[in-house]
Amino acid sequence: MKSYAIITDIHGNASALAAVLEDIKQRKADHIFCLGDMVGIGPDSNEVMSMLLETQNVSYVLGNHELAVAAAFRGEDPPLGHHNERAHHQWLADRIDKHYIEFITDLPKKIIYEVLGYTFYFAHYHLDMTDHYLTIEKNPSIEQLDSFYSSSDYDLVCFGHHHVIHHLTSDRRVYFNPGSLGCNHKPIARYGFVEVSESGINVESIQIPYDNTDFLNSYERRKVPDREFILKIFHGV
């Protein structure tokens, strides 16, 4: 049997990530797949990237907030849909270590992984044939997803982007989004755990409680741009 942790949408929340990494360690996962948006929204970009890169056996895909922060760092135009968030991303870009910009710039948009006769697909969000992000509704149906992936032979499709949990199973494959690790209206960090054996694939959504007090207070302490809006929309404060 093989086991895999699926983390996504950490969004600059080092406290939540620390709680999840400790739980993953206790469960002895064989590998971690990180599905993007490690940075952005939360102020802890350097702390999050440091923790991730100090963790062994992690594979990464690129998220839209990595694209936005990297573009701000290089003085390039924001990615499509991120113009209104430029001040926030510029604030992060002005504080992030250059080494981390170099790291995220080289990340792939997808990973295809094979184990025990199964094929897994990992991406931050659904991509077209030219690897551009597609706009699909926040809560797609099984029929919509099956139609989109009809030409593929994936047994498990894992993604993030929308912060809600998706766990849908059709007669073709399993679709799984474990939900945002770092953005929640409660002091809970979410991730996914996948166990694979020759007899099948088991997918579990896991919620880890943690103390988010200092993290939430850090928005005001560090004068994060748009902090009132971010705290209300993404953390329910």
Side-chain angles (χ1 to χ4, degrees), residues 63-77:
N64 52 292
H65 279 267
E66 279 83 46
L67 285 171
V69 171
F73 184 90
R74 295 191 292 261
E76 300 171 356
D77 290 337

Side-chain angles (χ1 to χ4, degrees), residues 31-67:
H31 199 84
I32 300 172
F33 289 94
C34 180
L35 307 188
D37 278 6
M38 297 166 276
V39 301
I41 298 179
D44 302 340
S45 294
N46 287 318
E47 296 89 337
V48 163
M49 294 307 303
S50 176
M51 292 168 63
L52 288 171
L53 294 181
E54 289 174 0
T55 303
Q56 296 183 339
N57 299 319
V58 184
S59 296
Y60 304 85
V61 296
L62 183 69
N64 52 292
H65 279 267
E66 279 83 46
L67 285 171

Side-chain angles (χ1 to χ4, degrees), residues 146-171:
D146 270 348
S147 176
F148 178 70
Y149 288 99
S150 61
S151 62
S152 76
D153 59 356
Y154 309 134
D155 299 290
L156 174 67
V157 173
C158 291
F159 56 97
H161 189 65
H162 288 314
H163 295 176
V164 298
I165 297 173
H166 299 95
H167 184 183
L168 306 172
T169 303
S170 73
D171 58 358

Side-chain angles (χ1 to χ4, degrees), residues 49-193:
M49 294 307 303
S50 176
M51 292 168 63
L52 288 171
L53 294 181
E54 289 174 0
T55 303
Q56 296 183 339
N57 299 319
V58 184
S59 296
Y60 304 85
V61 296
L62 183 69
N64 52 292
H65 279 267
E66 279 83 46
L67 285 171
V69 171
F73 184 90
R74 295 191 292 261
E76 300 171 356
D77 290 337
L80 184 66
H82 289 284
H83 286 75
N84 293 336
E85 303 162 357
R86 186 52 180 261
H88 175 72
H89 289 129
Q90 188 64 60
W91 185 91
L92 294 168
D94 290 342
R95 289 158 177 79
I96 196 169
D97 190 303
K98 180 181 178 181
H99 169 69
Y100 300 139
I101 294 294
E102 295 171 349
F103 174 78
I104 63 179
T105 298
D106 293 332
L107 294 179
K109 286 188 175 181
K110 64 184 178 185
I111 295 173
I112 298 173
Y113 181 82
E114 295 186 357
V115 58
L116 298 178
Y118 298 103
T119 302
F120 295 171
Y121 177 86
F122 301 98
H124 179 64
Y125 199 51
H126 313 291
L127 304 169
D128 64 17
M129 296 303 292
T130 60
D131 283 356
H132 285 90
Y133 292 122
L134 290 173
T135 300
I136 296 180
E137 63 186 74
K138 187 174 183 178
N139 289 298
S141 67
I142 293 177
E143 291 76 19
Q144 289 172 317
L145 291 170
D146 270 348
S147 176
F148 178 70
Y149 288 99
S150 61
S151 62
S152 76
D153 59 356
Y154 309 134
D155 299 290
L156 174 67
V157 173
C158 291
F159 56 97
H161 189 65
H162 288 314
H163 295 176
V164 298
I165 297 173
H166 299 95
H167 184 183
L168 306 172
T169 303
S170 73
D171 58 358
R172 299 183 182 184
R173 63 186 61 84
V174 177
Y175 302 97
F176 185 51
N177 174 355
S180 174
L181 187 155
C183 292
N184 199 314
H185 285 202
K186 298 179 180 180
I188 293 173
R190 296 175 293 191
Y191 79 102
F193 200 76

